[in-house]
Amino acid sequence: MMNSIAITLENFQQVIIEESKNQLVLVDFWAQQIPESTELRDKLTTALANHGDTILFATVDCETQGQIAQQFGIQGLPTAVLVKDGQPLDGLTGPQTDASINEFLAKYLPKEQDLLLVQAKDLLAEGNVAEAFPIISQAYQLDNERADIKLVLANVYIQTGKITEAELLLKSIKMIDQDSDYQSLIAKLELASQAADSPEIQALEQQLLNEPENVELQQKLAAQYSQVNRYEDALAILFRLVQNNGADIASKDLLLDVLKSLPDGDALASKYRRKLYTLMY
C-alpha cells in the first residue's frame, strides 16, 4: 500500500476534489529547507501507514508546487490540512510531537470498537454466529451506549438463544435509534420466543411432570431445548443426569455436544465446563 501520494497540478482535481468525496485526505505541506516540515511529513507517513483505507495521505512540496500551497492559503510551515469533500475540515500547524499527532488522528481514525463491529457484521453475514459472539461482546464492553453495537449484539443473542439478554438490550435502545434494523430484531425476538415454547416442548414438559425420573424423556427435552437455543435449560437437565449417573454416556455426550455448539467466550459454556470438570475430577 502506498504510504503517500505527491500532489501536483495534474492530479490536484482527482485527489483533492474527487477522492476527498470518498475518504478523508490529509494534505501535508513541506519544503526541504524547513526541517520541521519534513519531520512532520515523516511522522505523519509513519502514523498513517496502516490507515490508508480511512485517510489518504497526500504531500505538497512547496518548493515545486507553490501554486497549490497558495491555493490553500498556506502561510507557514509545517502545516497539514485535513480535507473532506474538497473543503478543509481540520489541520495541524507548527512542530508536532508523536502524542499530539496521535491525538489529532484519533478524532478521525476508526476506534477499536468500530473495527470489531465491522468484523462481527462480516462474520454474521457469513453465518459465523459463534465467531461473531466474542467479537461483538468485546465491542460492547468498549462502548455500551452505541445503538449500532447493541443491535448486532442483540442479533447474536437471539441467534444463540439468549432471549432474555436480547430483550433487555433492545429495551435499552432509545426511540431515536429504533430504525428498521431494530424493528426487524423485535420481530425475530418474538419468533424466537414462540419457538422456544413450541407445542412439542410443552408436550415433553407435561410428560416429564408425570414421569420425572424418565431419563429418555429428559434427554429428549434437553435436545428440544438445544434446538431452539434454550441452552441453559438443556445443560441443567443433562448435567443433573450426568451428576446422578456417571455411567450415563448418552447424557454426557449430549452435554458435550451442547457445550460445543456454544460460541467461544460464552459464560454459560464456561460455567458448565467448570462444573463438569469438578464432577469428573
Side-chain angles (χ1 to χ4, degrees), residues 9 25 29 31 47 51 53 82 87 99 101 124 131 134 173 203 210 279:
L9 290 175
V25 178
F29 296 86
H51 300 289
D53 292 338
L82 191 66
Q87 299 297 320
I101 289 173
L124 282 178
E131 292 182 39
I173 304 255
N210 299 326
L279 188 64

Side-chain angles (χ1 to χ4, degrees), residues 166-174 178 182 186:
E167 185 175 9
L168 290 172
L169 200 57
L170 289 173
K171 282 182 178 179
S172 73
I173 304 255
K174 297 177 182 177
Q178 294 180 10
Y182 168 85
I186 290 293

Side-chain angles (χ1 to χ4, degrees), residues 60-78:
V60 175
D61 182 349
C62 293
E63 293 183 25
T64 60
Q65 305 297 329
Q67 188 175 341
I68 296 176
Q70 290 177 5
Q71 191 164 341
F72 271 88
I74 302 302
Q75 297 181 349
L77 299 181

Side-chain angles (χ1 to χ4, degrees), residues 41 47 57 77 245 268:
R41 179 200 61 192
F57 185 47
L77 299 181
N245 181 8
L268 186 62

Side-chain angles (χ1 to χ4, degrees), residues 162-214:
K162 299 180 182 297
I163 305 301
T164 301
E165 291 89 337
E167 185 175 9
L168 290 172
L169 200 57
L170 289 173
K171 282 182 178 179
S172 73
I173 304 255
K174 297 177 182 177
M175 185 76 70
I176 193 173
D177 296 315
Q178 294 180 10
D179 56 10
S180 59
D181 289 338
Y182 168 85
Q183 299 300 335
S184 175
L185 287 175
I186 290 293
K188 287 177 68 174
L189 180 63
E190 179 63 27
L191 290 173
S193 298
Q194 293 173 6
D197 197 25
S198 66
E200 292 80 7
I201 287 177
Q202 292 179 31
L204 283 170
E205 288 173 338
Q206 186 59 48
Q207 291 179 55
L208 201 55
L209 284 176
N210 299 326
E211 303 178 62
E213 301 304 320
N214 189 316

Side-chain angles (χ1 to χ4, degrees), residues 121-138:
K121 284 183 173 180
D122 289 343
L123 288 169
L124 282 178
E126 297 169 1
N128 295 329
V129 181
E131 292 182 39
F133 178 80
I135 293 171
I136 193 60
S137 297
Q138 185 180 350

Side-chain angles (χ1 to χ4, degrees), residues 3-271:
N3 287 341
S4 64
I5 182 170
I7 300 299
T8 64
L9 290 175
E10 287 73 23
N11 66 9
F12 179 89
Q13 176 73 23
Q14 175 60 35
V15 177
I16 302 301
I17 305 301
E18 299 302 327
E19 191 58 38
S20 71
K21 294 177 182 178
N22 303 318
Q23 66 178 130
L24 294 170
V25 178
L26 183 60
V27 186
D28 176 71
F29 296 86
W30 66 281
Q32 194 64 49
Q33 70 269 30
I34 302 179
E36 294 86 355
S37 71
T38 58
E39 182 182 4
L40 178 60
R41 179 200 61 192
D42 295 342
K43 284 183 176 181
L44 290 173
T45 299
T46 300
L48 290 170
N50 297 319
H51 300 289
D53 292 338
T54 304
I55 298 178
L56 174 63
F57 185 47
T59 62
V60 175
D61 182 349
C62 293
E63 293 183 25
T64 60
Q65 305 297 329
Q67 188 175 341
I68 296 176
Q70 290 177 5
Q71 191 164 341
F72 271 88
I74 302 302
Q75 297 181 349
L77 299 181
T79 295
V81 178
L82 191 66
V83 178
K84 176 63 176 172
D85 295 326
Q87 299 297 320
L89 178 66
D90 201 347
L92 292 167
T93 58
Q96 302 292 322
T97 64
D98 290 336
S100 65
I101 289 173
N102 290 334
E103 183 179 357
F104 171 79
L105 294 177
K107 295 184 289 183
Y108 302 101
L109 291 174
K111 297 178 175 61
E112 183 179 359
Q113 53 265 41
D114 295 319
L115 300 175
L116 291 169
L117 177 61
V118 171
Q119 189 178 357
K121 284 183 173 180
D122 289 343
L123 288 169
L124 282 178
E126 297 169 1
N128 295 329
V129 181
E131 292 182 39
F133 178 80
I135 293 171
I136 193 60
S137 297
Q138 185 180 350
Y140 182 68
Q141 290 172 3
L142 291 170
D143 190 339
N144 60 11
E145 295 296 327
R146 280 179 49 176
D148 53 352
I149 293 176
K150 287 183 180 181
L151 289 173
V152 174
L153 180 56
N155 189 6
V156 171
Y157 277 156
I158 292 170
Q159 294 192 54
T160 54
K162 299 180 182 297
I163 305 301
T164 301
E165 291 89 337
E167 185 175 9
L168 290 172
L169 200 57
L170 289 173
K171 282 182 178 179
S172 73
I173 304 255
K174 297 177 182 177
M175 185 76 70
I176 193 173
D177 296 315
Q178 294 180 10
D179 56 10
S180 59
D181 289 338
Y182 168 85
Q183 299 300 335
S184 175
L185 287 175
I186 290 293
K188 287 177 68 174
L189 180 63
E190 179 63 27
L191 290 173
S193 298
Q194 293 173 6
D197 197 25
S198 66
E200 292 80 7
I201 287 177
Q202 292 179 31
L204 283 170
E205 288 173 338
Q206 186 59 48
Q207 291 179 55
L208 201 55
L209 284 176
N210 299 326
E211 303 178 62
E213 301 304 320
N214 189 316
V215 172
E216 185 179 354
L217 275 178
Q218 292 181 67
Q219 291 172 344
K220 286 182 178 179
L221 181 57
Q224 284 290 322
Y225 281 155
S226 178
Q227 288 178 17
V228 296
N229 298 329
R230 289 176 62 176
Y231 297 116
E232 187 161 13
D233 292 327
L235 288 169
I237 290 174
L238 295 170
F239 181 78
R240 186 168 59 249
L241 289 173
V242 174
Q243 190 175 36
N244 292 338
N245 181 8
D248 186 351
I249 302 301
S251 294
K252 182 180 178 182
D253 287 344
L254 276 172
L255 175 62
L256 292 174
D257 286 342
V258 174
L259 288 174
K260 289 176 185 176
S261 70
L262 293 171
D264 292 338
D266 188 287
L268 186 62
S270 300
K271 172 185 174 182

